[in-house]
Amino acid sequence: MKKLMSFLIFSLSLSFIISQEKGESLFINYTQKIDMDIEEVLKNIPSQYRAQAEPILREELKNGITNNYELKTNGKVSVYSIEEKLNNAQSTGGMIAQQMAQADKEPLYKYLNENKYKKLIDFPGIDRILIYDSLPDYQWKVLRETEKIAGYETRKATGFLNDSVSVEAWFAPKIPINDGPAQVAGLPGLILKASFKMNGADVTITANQIKVRDEDIKIKEPKANRVMRQKEFEEEMKHWTEKMKKMHGTGVDKD
């Protein structure tokens, strides 16, 4: 059985290497799981809404916050998008899962040969902003640890986002493309698992299925009212958040 599985994985790896010259692409399904500290979440909710939101949030966090994504990549360009089919947490009204789905309703486009990405932000209060910037330089350090993910042997690597956020990634050397979920990329093999902590949340993204399809990747350039870099957008969001707090009467706990 082990020999059969090894043969199937080798065949898939070989077929993708050959298919890169035929216009074929890899389609990878990922599951993103988020764990959060409920007390930290409640601190950011205006006090007048906290009593109503707390039992809903506790139930959602207990059940787990998950969203499913798909990465389409040919090693040159890629599209990373949330799956349209709602999972259980979203369909029952999970507040955090729905916010994540809203933030990711527009795909993330990566131009790997240019080391660039584009991401359209479009939700109430935000005026169709297109983020166009360089992919992060994680300054990866490849380690000896291995783990089998989605049937593939992977190597562990560690790095940093913006020199401060620790990122852990597991990549498959037998799939020789430097892509991965979200903005995580830049290793000598497809990243099948990534984890990091951001804004008080532990985020883990894990691949569960990999397919080769005879399908070219077409990127439909998003239309936006404004274009800015990631840091400019983060500053914009800070001002927007402060504005929302004032509109809703503040009531947010401060350290």
Side-chain angles (χ1 to χ4, degrees):
M1 185 66 180
K2 289 184 178 179
K3 289 183 178 179
L4 176 59
M5 288 301 296
S6 297
F7 173 75
L8 291 174
I9 290 172
F10 173 76
S11 299
L12 178 59
S13 302
L14 181 61
S15 66
F16 177 66
I17 294 171
I18 295 172
S19 71
Q20 285 181 297
E21 300 179 358
K22 297 181 178 180
E24 294 184 345
S25 306
L26 273 182
F27 286 65
I28 308 98
N29 296 111
Y30 290 90
T31 297
Q32 175 179 279
K33 182 180 178 182
I34 300 176
D35 292 314
M36 306 181 76
D37 183 338
I38 182 63
E39 301 304 329
E40 290 299 318
V41 175
L42 290 173
K43 284 182 181 179
N44 291 301
I45 296 178
S47 56
Q48 63 266 38
Y49 304 124
R50 199 169 298 161
Q52 181 182 358
E54 183 172 352
I56 299 173
L57 288 171
R58 286 191 181 277
E59 185 67 19
E60 183 178 7
L61 290 170
K62 183 178 72 173
N63 293 333
I65 304 167
T66 61
N67 282 311
N68 297 319
Y69 293 80
E70 182 181 60
L71 173 68
K72 304 175 185 178
T73 181
N74 60 15
K76 298 176 182 177
V77 295
S78 67
V79 182
Y80 185 70
S81 56
I82 194 166
E83 290 187 357
E84 293 183 4
K85 184 178 179 180
L86 299 178
N87 60 32
N88 290 335
Q90 291 170 276
S91 62
T92 55
M95 295 172 64
I96 299 173
Q98 287 184 7
Q99 287 180 358
M100 294 298 298
Q102 177 70 19
D104 286 339
K105 69 177 184 177
E106 298 292 340
L108 169 71
Y109 302 103
K110 293 202 286 286
Y111 304 82
L112 300 167
N113 288 347
E114 302 172 21
N115 199 43
K116 299 284 187 180
Y117 73 92
K118 291 181 180 180
K119 171 72 173 178
L120 180 67
I121 307 298
D122 181 25
F123 56 87
I126 301 298
D127 189 24
R128 289 187 68 83
I129 296 173
L130 179 67
I131 301 174
Y132 180 45
D133 210 337
S134 298
L135 287 167
D137 178 8
Y138 294 92
Q139 299 180 356
W140 293 114
K141 180 180 179 182
V142 178
L143 307 177
R144 293 184 178 181
E145 295 176 56
T146 63
E147 181 179 330
K148 186 157 285 189
I149 301 172
Y152 279 86
E153 197 72 27
T154 64
R155 292 276 304 272
K156 182 180 179 179
T158 57
F160 291 92
L161 176 62
N162 298 329
D163 298 321
S164 59
V165 178
S166 178
V167 181
E168 180 179 294
W170 299 80
F171 68 98
K174 288 188 177 180
I175 308 179
I177 58 174
N178 63 341
D179 206 351
Q183 296 177 19
V184 189
L187 281 165
L190 180 67
I191 296 171
L192 299 183
K193 183 179 179 180
S195 58
F196 49 90
K197 185 166 186 149
M198 187 171 287
N199 298 326
D202 292 309
V203 181
T204 302
I205 311 172
T206 308
N208 48 62
Q209 189 178 59
I210 304 171
K211 293 181 179 180
V212 177
R213 293 182 186 171
D214 185 11
E215 184 178 329
D216 198 13
I217 296 177
K218 296 180 180 179
I219 291 182
K220 185 178 180 181
E221 291 289 336
K223 295 181 179 179
N225 295 326
R226 290 185 290 161
V227 179
M228 59 179 61
R229 300 172 82 87
Q230 181 70 37
K231 287 187 177 180
E232 293 173 326
F233 172 71
E234 290 172 2
E235 287 298 319
E236 182 98 356
M237 284 302 297
K238 284 181 183 178
H239 294 309
W240 181 82
T241 301
E242 289 302 319
K243 181 180 177 181
M244 290 300 102
K245 287 179 181 179
K246 290 178 180 179
M247 286 179 61
H248 292 286
T250 315
V252 178
D253 292 343
K254 296 181 180 179
D255 294 331

